[in-house]
Amino acid sequence: MNQEYIKPDNWSIIEEGFEEGRVKSSESLFSIGNGAMGQRANFEEGYSGETFQGSYIGGVYYPDKTRVGWWKNGYPEYFAKVLNAPNWIGINIVVDGAELDLATCKAVDNFRRELNMKEGWYQRSFSVTLSNNTELSIKVTRFLSLDIDEIGAIKYEIKPLNKEVEIVAIPYLDSGITNEDSNWDDKFWNTTQITSEGRQAFIEAHTMKTNFATCTFMESKVLLNGAELKEKPSAVKEDDLKVSHSYLQRVNKDETLEIHKFGGYVVDTNHEREALVSAAKTVLKKASELGFDALLALQKEAWAKIWEMSDITIEGDVKAQQGIRFNIFQLNQTYSGTDSRLNIGPKGFTGEKYGGSTYWDTEAYCIPFYMATKDQEVARNLLEYRYNHLEKAIENAEKLGFSNGAALYPMVTMNGEECHNEWEITFQEIHRNGAITFAIYNYYRFTGDYSYIPEMGLEVLIGIARFWQQRANFSEKKGKFVILGVTGPNEYENNINNNWYTNYLAKWCIEYTLEQVQKVKEGYPEDHDRIIGKTKLTANEKMAWENVAKNMYFPYDSEKGVFLQQDGFLDKELISVEDLPASERPINQKWSWDRILRSPYIKQADVLQGFYFFEDHFTSDELEKHFDFYEPFTVHESSLSPCVHSIQAAKLNRMEQAYVFYLRTSRLDLDDYNKEVEEGLHITSMAGTWMSIVEGFGGMRMVDDKLSFVPRIPDQWKRYSFKVNFRKRILNISVGQDGIAFELNGKEEMSIRVNGNRVVLPPHKEVVVQK
Amino acid sequence: MNQEYIKPDNWSIIEEGFEEGRVKSSESLFSIGNGAMGQRANFEEGYSGETFQGSYIGGVYYPDKTRVGWWKNGYPEYFAKVLNAPNWIGINIVVDGAELDLATCKAVDNFRRELNMKEGWYQRSFSVTLSNNTELSIKVTRFLSLDIDEIGAIKYEIKPLNKEVEIVAIPYLDSGITNEDSNWDDKFWNTTQITSEGRQAFIEAHTMKTNFATCTFMESKVLLNGAELKEKPSAVKEDDLKVSHSYLQRVNKDETLEIHKFGGYVVDTNHEREALVSAAKTVLKKASELGFDALLALQKEAWAKIWEMSDITIEGDVKAQQGIRFNIFQLNQTYSGTDSRLNIGPKGFTGEKYGGSTYWDTEAYCIPFYMATKDQEVARNLLEYRYNHLEKAIENAEKLGFSNGAALYPMVTMNGEECHNEWEITFQEIHRNGAITFAIYNYYRFTGDYSYIPEMGLEVLIGIARFWQQRANFSEKKGKFVILGVTGPNEYENNINNNWYTNYLAKWCIEYTLEQVQKVKEGYPEDHDRIIGKTKLTANEKMAWENVAKNMYFPYDSEKGVFLQQDGFLDKELISVEDLPASERPINQKWSWDRILRSPYIKQADVLQGFYFFEDHFTSDELEKHFDFYEPFTVHESSLSPCVHSIQAAKLNRMEQAYVFYLRTSRLDLDDYNKEVEEGLHITSMAGTWMSIVEGFGGMRMVDDKLSFVPRIPDQWKRYSFKVNFRKRILNISVGQDGIAFELNGKEEMSIRVNGNRVVLPPHKEVVVQK
């Protein structure tokens, strides 16, 4: 925990004071991204202290050779990893022969960072006393452009405070970079060409194996007191990996030297492989014609548009306000939704962990956010991503012994191939497959756009239904179908039998698919014929599916009246988390794995995840009973846990509990609850934070094809508001302590439900419902 | 399978013909050892084909940094590995400028290997046509001396067949060796000094981290037609890792050049660290004073003594005879029982796999063999080995959250520390702990030597009982104690609940320990006080133990009348192995791990292992019922599986089945059933082979402190015999198709049971019991 570190502010993340021990954490927290690329808040100038260097390009990955202790059949040979890309931000500074390095200088004062979320820029300022007693004031502003998404910009300002000095400013590009999580210290990049032309330089490098060709580029200029210096830099190439430009300038006390640097990447996924340098030049030309300030002005406009649609306001609680904006900001930095080849890695562009790839988080947590805050094409692109990977998912299932087009989507993927290797997860955490079916259902439920299903989705649904039917087996003993040997969402249980969540999801997936086959047959007979022709789905097979769905086994304890997380759950020593000494937590750091497994402790919602997805299948009393049974055993050691519990606590009108869960999910990284923020941010769970306001406090649901709200508000807040893009109309909901105001931005009136009652909203007119 | 490869022979392992693809397999099969060291049957001369080089020194290991995919708390940081030691066997041969290399020469004819098990030597002979058309006849004889266990001897004979030639013979030492299973390509050895003196050379090297200091040494001489050549060799040192001696000699057609080479290791575990070279010289002096032939004569005598005690004869079935002798021979090559710091690695000195360390195989499978074919001190040394590791076992349990002196012996160890890292095995295959208690019980039952228990064993028993009591938890649901999250002997199930074998063993361990505490209290009050003082065992704690033992839960199906391997076993798809297509087997090569786990297939005896250990707790009918239920699901993909099933099939008088299992266990490596013999031999399961004759066909048991036999004989055999060292008397049992002959070698008569009847055996007189 780190609760007093980031200054509370409605719109900015602010750090004050320099502590070497915090550098890596702040590098994560102040990360910037524009959907196409992103980077940790590494210093531009040289830094010899502890740092975790990271700059990432969306969709550029490396298949690192798998590392295991004991190989199991079915493990993938490669683990696709997000790649640390060549460094373009670097600007070394030497003043009167002394290098600027915050780790070795005599003093750093007034150190301040600000990540301005409203406008989309990051700034660092400080004064420093170098080893030669030169005192400087430094201010660095940086952003990654949303408008020209292949470029970033840096303005580096230096003011000597105590004397006239000679400053050498050395902007550079460096492809001599590595991944911290490399399994075998393989070389991930091959640098083929370094070019320096005037104020521009280019490094062409391609990734090994995947052979993504990239050109990293820069252009810089230097200004003294605002006037551009015409002198050209001298260029140096080093080790065939690095190119530096060097500007030498005498600067009087209190004068300001500015270095403006543009840099970024062009990649052969978007350009001709042979013409990357000229593509880079085109990008640089656009940027330099605008100049730093004009590009920044565009940035502010672009972010204003994003906030216009996706902002959530909270009055009366700055920390809560800062938390939700940080979450929304990071989600928008990570994924813009314009490219269906991309997805949302759990760490986005802020670190390497988890390979940076696609998890079930996308379908279970992220889609609702993008669906309601963007145009619906964005969510559809995410669904299309999985459609494009269907063949690979079928191959993956074949590797594990399934047949006839059964599809098992990978636990972790970059290109559709599994790239995770821990048998209890890779082979057993199969519920991920169901989340994809659920997302298809959810997309149609919310957007009303059925077209995805006949066009693409039905094939995905069929592949997944086939998997479930084959994966279940009939237990003579129980007279029911069982699903043995799985890991549920609660990863603190492995290789369990009849995980209620998995069994329930499997049954539902089959039934939903059968319905859709029928619906497509009736409504889209051509698509139906095409798909049946392709998948060779027979009536017999559908009967087999039906049989499994109808006769699925669900572990249940009649005494307690609860579904059991899995067979045998009640054999555990049922001591609640409350009664566990604090010194034993987090158990994933304090306990050996076997002890965790035989304990009743739950990492994240499992049975309750099912109650979240299928809330309308159960009564509130049933929810309450299960919440009261399972939450006390839940340690919330997954970032994905507090949001679901916050939503359910709100639904049960337990506002204090809902509020605590909300703070935990929204400030997970800002307050570093899990003591690991230095590894990067928890991007996907940030969508859960959004849900905990919109679905939790706002009580938003789809009921009978209409939006429904049961808004509640924590005592700590005066008012909060959010917006929803519902079928191309923007609805603004503002919830105060005693009333709820709705305002519809659209051409026609819309009917919604509020606390169960029908309310008709005319366009552009605030409607207030009293509590 | 490889059934026609090794020539059937009563006393020798014979290979005829040279096939490059078989070299690695034969290197395993023709391995030699003397308990202190051992080596694969690598060629002396250079060989550029596929080979797996291995020479190993008992007790010299390296803690390789653990390699895992996903780290779990509690994993050991290091994995102790048997070390490939410097090569002392090498003799390069160059004839008229052409190197002798079987991979590149023009022709190899009459290639033959023989491992003479009766006399303990290995010989390879062939004729060869070199690239320069020189034809040579070669014969190489090699053995590792039982008498001087730090030395081995090689006689390398070369005869030119088609012309006079110039032969350069280059015996060498080489410490530039590696382990194939190195995790991170660490350097395991540091070579510190290379010395060459006349015909002798020495390489001093110590292992990294563990710092075992060794001196590898050699001495050679050359003889022409039997007459020693006096010329001294020229010496060359290379790369600070290798020293070669070079002998140049013209040899006429049909003359024979012999190189006699002695070599081996001295280690600072047995000598002063500073005086290793002089220790080596002492060893060489002894050997060279004797000369090759005299040392070989001693070898034959030493092996004759071993066979005198441990031979099993089988008449009428050469393959069965060859199989059992191969097993007995290898066990004796691996472990002589004289050094309580050593133990029996699953691959002995024949490969690297499994780290070469101690497993529960020792207690469950090997002790009966050594107990009955050696003096009882040998088995006691094996028990003492675990006593010496008790503190480490307590530390190991503490790492996993246990307290108060609870001991969990490691899954794999070299020095008492756990060196295995697969959570489902390392943390969960806890039944290994019970095998240690069982071995203590078994040792006393067979030898009658109770002294180990008050002197050492009781502390071990208490540590283990404590573990079981703490590891069980009370299930409110079942009203019984359960043991959750384990892996039983059947490693094709992981993280299961209430493995019947584990629960049964746990209960028995506690009860046996309680009995022994009482017995020591009564019979050895001083030891009792010392141990109670040390362990602080209280009456309350014993009551807690008792409570767990009394109220242990055992999964049972009343309909089928069988104990269940674990909770939920009957939910599986119960298709017997017979009905599984052959193309799907072995499942550990064909199926992904999750598929194996949810299948009913059993790797090795699990419930039946409990029936084996505790046969007298159950009726024959119960055994039959469980055998008939479980064996059909058993794939026997562990080398430890067929022996137990052979014993039980024999007990159930199913002789055909018992015979098939016997062949499988006894010729597992010779016929390469598992297609992996090139990795090394399955040493520990060889003790199981011995059991399958003595306990299986011979029906030997301990009943009321007396030996009891219910001998049976397969139809395929005329007669078989074995010997048992029972409490310092040697009993010879010979079983024919119609009668059983006993002969006792001892001073006093002995009473035994045969087929349930009391038989009194006078000394030195054959007693025949009709069938």
Side-chain angles (χ1 to χ4, degrees), chain A residues 315 719-722 732-736 739-743 766:
Chain A
E315 289 173 40
R719 174 168 288 277
Y720 68 97
S721 75
F722 58 92
N732 183 43
I733 300 98
S734 170
V735 183
I740 310 134
F742 296 88
E743 191 171 342
E766 190 178 80

Side-chain angles (χ1 to χ4, degrees), chain A residues 318-344:
Chain A
V318 180
K319 282 192 161 192
Q321 174 69 76
Q322 187 180 37
I324 187 64
R325 285 202 173 122
F326 185 65
N327 286 255
I328 295 168
F329 180 71
Q330 291 296 349
L331 286 163
N332 277 288
Q333 289 209 119
T334 303
Y335 183 72
S336 66
T338 51
D339 186 341
S340 72
R341 295 168 301 182
L342 302 184
N343 210 291
I344 308 142

Side-chain angles (χ1 to χ4, degrees), chain A residues 237-254:
Chain A
K237 296 182 195 175
E238 286 168 59
D239 302 333
D240 294 332
L241 293 170
K242 192 170 169 181
V243 54
S244 305
H245 285 172
S246 184
Y247 296 90
L248 174 75
Q249 183 62 38
R250 290 209 74 79
V251 184
N252 289 322
K253 177 164 175 289
D254 293 330

